[in-house]
Amino acid sequence: MKDALIERLRNGCVVSCQALENEPLFGSDIMSAMAVAAEEGGAVAIRANTPKDIEAIKKRCSLPVIGLYKQNYPNSDVYITPTMKEIGAVLSAGAEFVAVDATNQTRPDGLAFRQLLERIRYIYPKAIVVADISTYEEGVQAMEMNVDIVSTTMSGYTPYSRQSKEPDIGLVRKLAARNETPVLAEGRIWTVDECLQCFEAGAHAVVVGTAITRPQEITKRFVKAIHRRIEHSSNLTAN
């Protein structure tokens, strides 16, 4: 079953349907509708945050779900499904995959990622673990621990990882070249061309979120481009 679900993602687009409480599309009804729209568009899976959203999506959408549960803890920079409590909630909600922060940042429970993974394997042996990493070294460590999938989700979101407005295609290429564990390309993928570059770099699948499911950010890009054009035209006229 694990291998079949992982294979189902191959060469596909995973759509991340997430909205925070302060965002206009926040709400499980809206996120589940977004997931249905993604399914109709040909997505191979959905990435979703919180047990409530996962449950709502599973009721309306037939695609497998990469579930996560963002929670902030004191004295910890890890917030993506940080402890066994959140992992259990995600899997109980029906997610086939569970995404877990696999960076080297301090965890709230004091466990190393290796220890957390061992607990997942023992308590939830059928769970498909997606390790969200930020650097090549973290990706290699996760592969050596035999995670099921490595995702470049956290590249640019840890202080020591590559900081860029562009997707980290180089990281995808380096990890995929090891030919050990399927690699998901995720993070700042805005265009079809960038998506295709990720596949050319060896990505098993590509996760796209903001560019599809956050209209306020999509609108901002258009508005900024319009303002730049107006400013450029004004400068030419002034000169």
Side-chain angles (χ1 to χ4, degrees):
M1 180 64 73
K2 281 188 179 184
D3 289 344
L5 282 168
I6 294 171
E7 184 61 26
R8 185 172 172 179
L9 303 186
R10 184 183 294 277
N11 294 324
C13 179
V14 178
V15 176
S16 182
C17 298
Q18 300 182 48
L20 300 176
E21 290 186 20
N22 63 333
E23 296 180 340
L25 297 190
F26 178 74
S28 297
D29 288 345
I30 298 174
M31 286 299 101
S32 61
M34 194 74 78
V36 172
E39 182 175 21
E40 291 183 359
V44 295
I46 303 296
R47 182 171 166 117
N49 176 37
T50 78
K52 187 176 181 180
D53 281 10
I54 294 167
E55 287 179 357
I57 289 169
K58 293 303 293 183
K59 288 178 181 177
R60 298 183 61 182
C61 177
S62 66
L63 296 178
V65 170
I66 300 174
L68 61 139
Y69 194 179
K70 293 179 179 177
Q71 290 282 37
N72 292 310
Y73 284 86
N75 304 315
S76 174
D77 293 319
V78 170
Y79 59 90
I80 295 180
T81 331
T83 74
M84 287 301 298
K85 179 181 178 181
E86 290 80 31
I87 290 164
V90 163
L91 294 172
S92 295
E96 292 85 356
F97 302 77
V98 59
V100 182
D101 185 310
T103 67
N104 290 328
Q105 299 181 109
T106 303
R107 309 192 66 86
D109 50 16
L111 297 177
F113 176 68
R114 181 184 299 276
Q115 295 171 300
L116 187 71
L117 181 62
E118 289 173 353
R119 293 190 182 187
I120 297 171
R121 295 301 193 205
Y122 181 75
I123 300 173
Y124 304 105
K126 294 182 180 179
I128 304 174
V129 179
V130 178
D132 287 349
I133 57 87
S134 68
T135 66
Y136 176 72
E137 291 74 21
E138 289 172 348
V140 172
Q141 289 171 11
M143 289 179 176
E144 291 175 346
M145 295 177 203
N146 293 318
V147 299
D148 300 295
I149 297 173
V150 167
S151 181
T152 61
T153 312
M154 296 300 292
S155 175
Y157 298 100
T158 59
Y160 50 82
S161 60
R162 177 178 179 267
Q163 305 296 306
S164 173
K165 294 181 179 180
E166 309 296 329
D168 197 344
I169 298 172
L171 178 59
V172 174
R173 181 177 293 107
K174 286 181 67 177
L175 290 171
R178 295 180 65 87
N179 199 29
E180 294 178 28
T181 304
V183 176
L184 300 186
E186 181 174 8
R188 302 178 300 281
I189 298 168
W190 272 104
T191 68
V192 171
D193 184 59
E194 288 171 343
C195 175
L196 296 179
Q197 287 180 49
C198 289
F199 280 115
E200 290 169 2
H204 183 76
V206 173
V207 183
V208 182
T210 298
I212 295 175
T213 58
R214 298 183 74 200
Q216 72 273 27
E217 297 300 326
I218 299 167
T219 304
K220 284 180 185 178
R221 295 183 79 235
F222 280 90
V223 171
K224 285 180 179 179
I226 293 168
H227 288 171
R228 285 196 298 269
R229 180 183 182 278
I230 293 172
E231 184 179 352
H232 179 68
S233 297
S234 298
N235 290 337
L236 289 177
T237 302
N239 294 330

